[in-house]
Amino acid sequence: MLDTNTDGVDQRVSTGELPSWQRIDERVTEAYERNVADEGGRVADYIPELAAVDPSQFGICVADVGGGLHSAGDADVEFTIQSVSKAFVYALVCAEFGHDEVGRLVGVNNTGLAFNSVMAIELNDGHPMNPMVNAGAIATTALMPGATLAEKWENVRTGLSEFAGRQLTMDGDVYRSESETNTRNEAIAKLLKSYGRVTGDSTGLVDIYTRQCSLRVTAQDLAIMGATLADGGVNPVTKQRVVSPIVCRDTLAVLATSGLYERSGEWMFEIGLPGKSGVSGGIVTVAPGKGALGAFSPRLDSAGNSVRGQKATAALSRSLGLNIFASDSEGDRHDV
Ligand code: GLN
């Protein structure tokens, strides 16, 4: 890990403001209408049950840190959270172990390789490196508090439910479908075990990870979950503290470099915000101090990222002034 020695330095925040309520509503509707007719990409089919989804579904929701919700399309349709869960389980594990320990145990660097890469483990002497792809995420789930696998699973479910502000439940059909075809994730867990990176029952560990991926959410849930990370760890709808501001900062830093698999660089170039995608077509994108965007559309690009989800997010990043790298010498940030 980089030794930056900031012990004792006062931690200030760097944030801005969203446009007015009505302006957000208009921009969300506009982002939906611009992209609704786009049929690009293909639905994931390596988990058989995911192939059965209606590909025309498309929903977006912006949750602001004041608890306001701005939706368009199928923002209340449930789908399985899949890899988007990695962001929130990572936050829960950071809350348990802290910055230095999680950095050491899992790592915080992008692998530049596909989400289910085995090579990424081999190239790094068995170190999983990136908590936002399967190897690092399975190693992260292993660190969840709980004396038994059943307790760890319950802590994953309740922890993610606190982010969402409602009790999340598992989609049994998707869980069974993935469990029956999960050989690759089981191989990844066994490889991590062979390097001593995880201990105990690796098949049971993958079972929890598969359950975690099978939790049902909506685009609105993702927006609220993301807005909790944008709001220093307080769910802006329930007002419950879920994690600390430092955990949010650390989690968003990892999403910024690794949230969109091997396309994370392109994502940052176009959208300029931390985000996390999943193979069922969900994407959460976080604007620190402002709010978050949940998007759902099942057709994916070749890296497994929702095509319309990325396009709608890119439009909103621009029209709502969210890109963290955007500044203007004219100072138009005051003109909202
Ligand atoms: N459950 C999926 C898997 O492990 C999640 C992958 C993803 O969303 N990219 O294969």
Side-chain angles (χ1 to χ4, degrees):
M1 289 289 285
L2 186 66
D3 181 6
T4 50
N5 187 16
T6 54
D7 295 349
V9 176
D10 189 21
Q11 308 237 7
R12 313 284 302 184
V13 297
S14 162
T15 52
E17 276 172 27
L18 284 172
S20 67
W21 183 286
Q22 192 195 339
R23 179 77 70 100
I24 304 174
D25 273 351
E26 285 166 11
R27 297 301 184 239
V28 168
T29 304
E30 184 184 275
Y32 175 82
E33 283 170 357
R34 273 178 76 90
N35 295 294
V36 66
D38 189 324
E39 296 190 349
R42 292 189 50 218
V43 170
D45 57 6
Y46 77 101
I47 298 172
E49 190 65 24
L50 291 186
V53 75
D54 171 3
S56 71
Q57 297 174 111
F58 180 35
I60 48 183
C61 177
V62 168
D64 63 58
V65 290
L69 300 172
H70 313 261
S71 301
D74 301 319
D76 56 1
V77 167
E78 289 193 319
F79 56 95
T80 55
I81 188 168
Q82 299 298 340
S83 279
V84 181
S85 65
K86 292 167 179 162
F88 300 98
V89 173
Y90 183 70
L92 295 172
V93 167
C94 285
E96 189 66 20
F97 285 85
H99 181 92
D100 294 342
E101 193 65 358
V102 177
R104 192 179 65 74
L105 290 170
V106 186
V108 291
N109 279 316
N110 194 322
T111 61
L113 294 164
F115 73 90
N116 56 0
S117 175
V118 173
M119 205 158 58
I121 308 173
E122 291 293 352
L123 287 173
N124 293 287
D125 298 329
H127 200 284
M129 269 247 299
N130 172 355
M132 295 302 134
V133 294
N134 292 14
I138 291 169
T140 303
T141 296
L143 295 173
M144 278 298 289
T148 61
L149 289 173
E151 270 179 42
K152 283 181 191 284
W153 158 237
E154 189 50 21
N155 286 331
V156 167
R157 197 192 63 75
T158 52
L160 265 55
S161 297
E162 285 178 14
F163 275 108
R166 71 177 183 103
Q167 287 303 315
L168 300 179
T169 58
M170 206 183 73
D171 184 323
D173 292 336
V174 173
Y175 163 69
R176 273 184 294 280
S177 181
E178 181 163 9
S179 296
E180 283 161 9
T181 54
N182 224 357
T183 324
R184 195 176 180 94
N185 286 337
E186 281 165 6
I188 286 173
K190 285 205 162 61
L191 190 58
L192 290 172
K193 189 173 173 177
S194 80
Y195 279 108
R197 292 286 170 187
V198 301
T199 53
D201 173 5
S202 65
T203 308
L205 173 59
V206 171
D207 182 61
I208 303 179
Y209 166 78
T210 309
R211 288 172 184 269
Q212 161 191 325
C213 290
S214 303
L215 284 170
R216 286 201 199 93
V217 289
T218 63
Q220 179 176 305
D221 290 328
L222 291 187
I224 295 170
M225 294 170 88
T228 303
L229 291 176
D231 192 25
V234 173
N235 180 314
V237 177
T238 65
K239 312 289 183 208
Q240 186 192 351
R241 174 164 296 286
V242 185
V243 289
S244 72
I246 301 275
V247 165
C248 295
R249 185 201 66 189
D250 289 353
T251 303
L252 295 178
V254 175
L255 299 195
T257 57
S258 305
L260 279 277
Y261 318 117
E262 68 273 35
R263 299 276 165 77
S264 298
E266 287 167 58
W267 167 267
M268 193 51 71
F269 192 63
E270 294 300 335
I271 282 114
L273 291 166
K276 183 75 200 88
S277 66
V279 286
S280 52
I283 306 182
V284 65
T285 308
V286 181
K290 295 179 178 171
L293 169 67
F296 167 56
S297 173
R299 292 195 201 90
L300 311 176
D301 67 15
S302 60
N305 299 318
S306 168
V307 172
R308 285 189 298 194
Q310 292 179 88
K311 288 184 173 169
T313 305
L316 285 166
S317 169
R318 283 166 175 67
S319 66
L320 296 177
L322 304 179
N323 188 319
I324 56 179
F325 304 110
S327 60
D328 187 337
S329 56
E330 304 292 322
D332 82 346
R333 65 190 175 279
H334 301 298
D335 182 29
V336 294

